[in-house]
Amino acid sequence: DVKVTQSSRYLVKRTGEKVFLECVQDMDHENMFWYRQDPGLGLRLIYFSYDVKMKEKGDIPEGYSVSREKKERFSLILESASTNQTSMYLCASSLNPGTGGSYEQYFGPGTRLTVT
Amino acid sequence: DQQVKQNSPSLSVQEGRISILNCDYTNSMFDYFLWYKKYPAEGPTFLISISSIKDKNEDGRFTVFLNKSAKHLSLHIVPSQPGDSAVYFCAAEKAAGNKLTFGGGTRVLVKP
C-alpha cells in the first residue's frame, strides 16, 4: 500500500511567519506534488517535482517555494505567510507513466493551515 | 481559465438510485481522465479512470463515459449508497505529462 504522510493535520500560524509543510512517501515514486484545495476551486497545483532537486512551478506558485533533497521527501515553504494562504494543503506522489506507472496520484491526508 | 469544469457543485440522490456526475474540459490535448473521491479530513482517493481511446470504463458500481467530440465525461454510480456521500473530483492529464488538472468538485449526498 502506498503511504503518503504529511507532518501536521492542523496548523495555525501568524501573518509574516515562515511555514514549513513536510510530505513523505514510502513507495519510491519519482513525482511529488503540492496542491491547495479551496471550496469551488478544486485542487490547484502549486509546485511539483519529478526528481531529487528538480522542481517546476504549477498553476499558483506565487508566495511558495519547495525543496526536494531526498526522493521520499518534498517540502512546501511559505516564505511569509499571509491570510489568503489559509487553505487545505495536499501532497501527492506518483510513478512516471513511462516507467510502468499510471497517471494515478496518491494523496496524503492534508494539512489544514490557518493564517491569522 | 478553468480547463476542467464540474458545473454542478452539489447533488442529492436517494439510496439505490443512480448518481450522475458531469465534467467538461476545454483542452483537446488531454488524453487521460480520472475520478477521485474525497471524504472530509482525508486526502482524495482514486476511483476510476479512462483513456481517450475508450468511451466507457466500468468498475463495479462505477462507470465512466467519455465523449471526446463534446469534451465531456460523466461518472455513473449505480446503485448509490450512503457511503458514497463525498466530494468527487474529475481530473485530466495530457499525453506524456505528469500533471493532473482538477475540476472544482461535486458534493454528493446519498440519502437513506
Side-chain angles (χ1 to χ4, degrees), chain B residues 51-65:
Chain B
S51 165
S52 60
I53 61 173
K54 295 185 175 181
D55 55 17
K56 177 182 173 181
N57 188 26
E58 196 171 347
D59 183 1
R61 297 187 297 115
F62 302 92
T63 303
V64 56
F65 296 92

Side-chain angles (χ1 to χ4, degrees), chain A residues 9 37 48 96-97 103 105 108, chain B residues 32 36 38 41 43 98-99:
Chain A
R9 294 301 298 270
Q37 183 200 352
F48 70 102
N96 273 332
Y103 293 111
Q105 294 181 12
Chain B
Y32 198 80
Y36 280 81
K38 186 181 185 300
N98 288 318
K99 294 194 308 177

Side-chain angles (χ1 to χ4, degrees), chain A residues 74-86:
Chain A
F74 192 35
S75 303
L76 179 70
I77 303 151
L78 286 65
E79 296 291 342
S80 177
S82 63
T83 55
N84 63 13
Q85 293 178 309
T86 291

Side-chain angles (χ1 to χ4, degrees), chain B residues 24-109:
Chain B
D24 296 296
Y25 63 96
T26 57
N27 193 331
S28 57
M29 299 298 291
F30 290 141
D31 78 338
Y32 198 80
F33 304 90
L34 306 88
W35 284 93
Y36 280 81
K37 176 179 180 179
K38 186 181 185 300
Y39 292 118
E42 294 183 16
T45 54
F46 170 74
L47 198 55
I48 192 169
S49 62
I50 188 166
S51 165
S52 60
I53 61 173
K54 295 185 175 181
D55 55 17
K56 177 182 173 181
N57 188 26
E58 196 171 347
D59 183 1
R61 297 187 297 115
F62 302 92
T63 303
V64 56
F65 296 92
L66 176 63
N67 182 334
K68 279 178 59 179
S69 60
K71 294 190 177 69
H72 176 84
L73 64 154
S74 61
L75 174 68
H76 293 207
I77 306 173
V78 183
S80 300
Q81 298 174 354
D84 296 330
S85 297
V87 178
Y88 291 78
F89 295 98
C90 70
E93 175 94 47
K94 296 177 191 175
N98 288 318
K99 294 194 308 177
L100 293 177
T101 300
F102 284 84
T106 296
R107 183 177 301 278
V108 173
L109 176 62

Side-chain angles (χ1 to χ4, degrees), chain A residues 40-112:
Chain A
L41 297 178
L43 279 69
R44 293 181 293 167
L45 183 64
I46 303 171
Y47 267 97
F48 70 102
S49 169
Y50 53 89
D51 202 351
V52 176
K53 296 193 185 296
M54 305 301 288
K55 61 185 179 184
E56 284 201 26
K57 292 180 181 179
D59 301 317
I60 51 164
E62 295 80 16
Y64 303 94
S65 62
V66 290
S67 172
R68 193 166 181 201
E69 297 296 319
K70 294 184 178 181
K71 190 174 185 180
E72 68 271 18
R73 189 178 297 267
F74 192 35
S75 303
L76 179 70
I77 303 151
L78 286 65
E79 296 291 342
S80 177
S82 63
T83 55
N84 63 13
Q85 293 178 309
T86 291
S87 187
M88 168 69 84
Y89 289 88
L90 292 159
C91 174
S93 70
S94 72
L95 283 167
N96 273 332
T99 57
S102 71
Y103 293 111
E104 181 184 344
Q105 294 181 12
Y106 297 84
F107 285 84
T111 296
R112 171 73 64 186

